[in-house]
């Protein structure tokens, strides 16, 4: 569960299917709350990952350093590696558009000034399908939540 430890922060391995935070006003335990309980310390998530996204989640054990870690993370390149059962176009391509929240945990492409830009690269075939890399350039919401076949 702990992938890396800093003096006041941890990189945790969040599984797919777990919400970063309690999703329903405290009825169901979120991943960061579960980790805090198991590690027996208070934890503050520096960012979040969607419920269905697995990956590295940065948490801090000090409320005073959340802003510092957030600033560092915002300056970093955000790259994701993912597997899809579908093969999309070869090479590198980008998708730009306006993504808005249209419901509870639901986002859609809408008309208007673009607020998201994502670059994709096909890395090759693997045992479970096709391996891709996505680099998020703008916006918290990005195109990893969408069906790529509509945009590739």
């Amino acid at each position: 569960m702990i992938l890396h430890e800093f003096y006041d922060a941890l990189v945790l391995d969040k599984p797919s299917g777990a919400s970063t935070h309690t999703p329903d006003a405290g009825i169901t335990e979120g991943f960061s709350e579960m980790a805090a309980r198991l590690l027996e310390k208070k934890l503050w998530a520096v960012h979040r990952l969607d419920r269905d996204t697995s990956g590295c989640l940065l948490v801090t054990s000090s409320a005073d350093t959340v802003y510092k870690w957030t600033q560092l993370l915002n300056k970093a390149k955000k790259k994701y590696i993912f597997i899809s059962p579908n093969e999309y176009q070869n090479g590198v391509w980008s998708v730009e558009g306006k993504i808005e929240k249209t419901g509870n945990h639901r986002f859609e492409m809408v008309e208007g000034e673009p607020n998201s830009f994502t670059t994709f690269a096909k890395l090759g075939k693997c045992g479970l399908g096709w391996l891709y890399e996505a680099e998020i350039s703008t916006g918290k919401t990005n195109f990893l939540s969408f069906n790529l076949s509509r945009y590739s």
Side-chain angles (χ1 to χ4, degrees):
M1 175 151 95
I2 298 174
L3 301 175
H4 190 76
E5 198 164 346
F6 300 96
Y7 74 97
D8 69 343
L10 302 168
V11 178
L12 303 178
D13 184 14
K14 187 193 90 58
S16 175
S19 295
T20 298
H21 296 289
T22 299
D24 47 17
I27 297 169
T28 307
E29 191 173 53
F31 181 75
S32 58
E33 291 82 14
M34 178 194 66
R37 179 178 50 78
L38 293 173
L39 296 170
E40 299 178 337
K41 64 167 86 175
K42 283 207 175 251
L43 295 176
W44 288 264
V46 174
H47 64 102
R48 69 168 195 83
L49 295 173
D50 291 340
R51 184 192 68 223
D52 295 331
T53 301
S54 63
C56 298
L57 181 69
L58 182 63
V59 298
T60 179
S61 57
S62 169
D64 295 335
T65 62
V66 172
Y67 181 76
K68 175 188 81 165
W69 285 108
T70 301
Q71 293 304 103
L72 287 171
L73 193 61
N74 285 340
K75 292 178 185 176
K77 284 188 177 185
K78 295 170 184 75
K79 288 189 178 186
Y80 298 83
I81 304 294
F82 65 96
I83 298 171
S84 173
N86 303 315
E87 180 180 11
Y88 305 108
Q89 66 191 46
N90 289 317
V92 176
W93 72 99
S94 297
V95 180
E96 182 177 40
K98 182 174 179 119
I99 302 174
E100 292 290 329
K101 187 172 186 174
T102 58
N104 191 20
H105 301 287
R106 183 175 160 84
F107 293 84
E108 291 184 22
M109 285 280 289
V110 297
E111 293 293 322
E113 185 74 27
N115 63 357
S116 285
F117 185 83
T118 306
T119 301
F120 295 92
K122 180 177 166 186
L123 302 178
K125 190 155 179 55
C126 66
L128 298 173
W130 295 90
L131 192 63
Y132 296 92
E133 176 183 270
E135 183 173 337
I136 311 305
S137 298
T138 59
K140 290 183 179 179
T141 303
N142 58 69
F143 290 94
L144 291 180
S145 304
F146 291 91
N147 179 348
L148 280 183
S149 62
R150 293 176 19 200
Y151 307 104
S152 63

